[in-house]
Amino acid sequence: MQHFRQIGIIGSGAMGRGIAQLFASAGVEVLLHDSRSEAIEQALGHNRELLERAAAKGKLSAEALAASQACMSPAYRLQDLAGCDLLIEAIVENLEAKQALFRELEQLVSVDAVLASNTSSLSISQIASGCRHPERVAGFHFFNPVPLMKIVEVVRGERTAPQVVERLSALAEQAGHFAAVTPDSPGFLVNHAGRAFGPEALRILGEGIASAEQIDRILKDSLGFRMGPFELFDLVGLDIAHAVMESIHQQFYQDPRYTPSALVPPRLAGGLLGRKSGEGFYRYADGKAVLSEPLPMPAATIDRPFWLDSRDPAVREKVAAVLAVAGAELEQGTRPGPTAICLVTPLGEDASSAIATQQLPPERSLALETFAGFETRRVLMRQPALDPAVLAQARQVFTADCVPVEVINDSPGFIAQRVLAGIVNLGCEIAQRRIATPATLDRAVQLALGYPLGPLAFGERFGAARIQQILNALHDLFQEPRYRVSPWLRRRVQLGLSLTTPEE
Ligand code: NAI
């Protein structure tokens, strides 16, 4: 395979300079261009400083520093890029501007030079449609900050030649980045796969189930996410995140799987954009989120026994252990005694449905999450008929071993079940539509989105059949196609196969 000799980068902003640093550090010659010459100077100065700092910290040898610096030069005129065999554009996100640039470059460079776009939302096939040789055009979508985010999407436009995809992938691997090859579809791979975490959290918030802070805490502590969805919205900027949600929803012709949240437009109008405007879902002071004080918990006397619907010995054992610490009794009968607090442990159902199905007394029945987070952040789910004194006792009992407890309102699938089921189902849909192989999908999501597991591996960890049960319950309750089960998931459950089993 032919390796690239010289890379021309057009657009020396945050992305262009990062891409230049990445390839120069890998020993490839890079020329940096921008329509504003001061942007080129700034980018080169910025990169030089980063490399020198790395050398000062001992992370880079003096030879490696000199070699990387020697690989990066300015190109003040577009014509200076004529000898490059790879051109990567990272200019403004505008279709006409990118098409015009590629047309101009085609006049300039040799016929076998490759033209790559770092666009995050525009169609590669559309950008290429303005070119005489669309087969040489591909997407090369990096993530910010480029040297640290060890992944790039190599996007195959409708007319892209296979060897262009292969050469870009090989270059990425040479620089230590994972090349996630994906077709030209809305959001490509990563932004598409990310459409469950934040959007489902917004749905939960919009349904009055829990506060943004609670949802963040539950998802971090029970599923291992490093950041909660609302912390992430505040970091990225709600305006940017919402634009991605709207664009993907539109490009999929209003498929309800991707419906954005109606909570967002008024927040945008109110300037609640996140960290950059000083307030989003959190308020920021000195760059730090101001967290609300936890409400004092009224002390309750534990004077009732507890009854648990689950017959699963593992679940009964862990619940009994906490009750024992609190000095409360777990009844053993198949039906609750006359004063018992009844705990239901639904999968996918809401508390009201579980209580009604099991014909339990509503004023002394509530739901306990046992699917995820029991050891790290416990979730109790009330329902409108619950006696507050019963809730107070349950809350006191479940904090007895010092695990924090969140009380949320009635929700199908609590919070962790519901968000996780959405992530897994969307991952299955991506595999089904051949947007990525199972292995590429899981690796790309971990690298780009920082999830503790990829969507399919997450499904395996918690059980594909259980994920399907949660989705079916959500679908039944809301009667919305948003929650329809992906055929990929359904078939693998039916056949007893792993979700990562690929298909021709
Ligand atoms: P930026 O605004 O920091 O930099 C863009 C640079 O392009 C500016 O220096 C501007 O002077 C220059 N420019 C604009 N039009 C030009 C033209 N016709 N010819 C030459 N130079 C031109 O933007 P940023 O954030 O670096 O984004 C660049 C591209 O990368 C966009 O397409 C964006 O969607 C995409 N992208 C951005 C990511 C991010 O996190 N910022 C992540 C992934 C992709």
Side-chain angles (χ1 to χ4, degrees), residues 5-156:
R5 284 175 297 95
Q6 191 180 44
I7 303 175
I9 295 170
I10 306 102
S12 305
M15 295 307 287
R17 73 173 183 226
I19 299 168
Q21 192 199 328
L22 175 73
F23 290 124
S25 300
V28 187
E29 200 185 325
V30 173
L31 296 179
L32 206 48
H33 175 74
D34 199 286
S35 50
R36 296 178 302 118
S37 55
E38 67 273 20
I40 306 176
E41 296 298 341
Q42 273 167 10
L44 288 171
H46 177 91
N47 284 353
R48 208 173 302 125
E49 218 179 288
L50 282 183
L51 290 169
E52 278 165 4
R53 224 180 296 156
K57 282 190 192 156
K59 290 184 181 163
L60 199 67
S61 69
E63 300 77 56
L65 170 67
S68 302
Q69 293 196 343
C71 279
M72 251 182 303
S73 327
Y76 293 107
R77 300 169 318 146
L78 197 63
Q79 292 87 313
D80 298 340
L81 303 179
C84 294
D85 52 357
L86 170 60
L87 291 303
I88 305 173
E89 74 75 18
I91 64 166
V92 56
E93 186 76 341
N94 174 289
L95 178 64
E96 288 73 34
K98 289 185 194 288
Q99 284 180 329
L101 173 67
F102 275 13
R103 267 198 302 269
E104 206 178 339
L105 284 171
E106 271 201 313
Q107 311 282 340
L108 210 66
V109 297
S110 74
V111 291
D112 53 1
V114 167
L115 305 183
S117 170
N118 185 48
T119 181
S120 48
S121 65
L122 301 171
S123 154
I124 295 302
S125 312
Q126 238 179 332
I127 294 174
S129 69
C131 291
R132 268 188 295 140
H133 293 290
E135 66 280 2
R136 61 154 103 186
V137 178
F140 210 24
H141 178 219
F142 288 89
F143 295 81
N144 196 13
V146 178
L148 299 183
M149 299 292 290
K150 303 261 174 221
I151 170 167
V152 56
E153 291 178 320
V154 179
V155 185
R156 202 173 52 226

Side-chain angles (χ1 to χ4, degrees), residues 431-448:
Q432 181 65 48
R433 295 186 202 181
R434 309 302 194 260
I435 291 169
T437 62
T440 298
L441 165 67
D442 274 0
R443 182 131 188 243
V445 165
Q446 280 191 282
L447 286 172

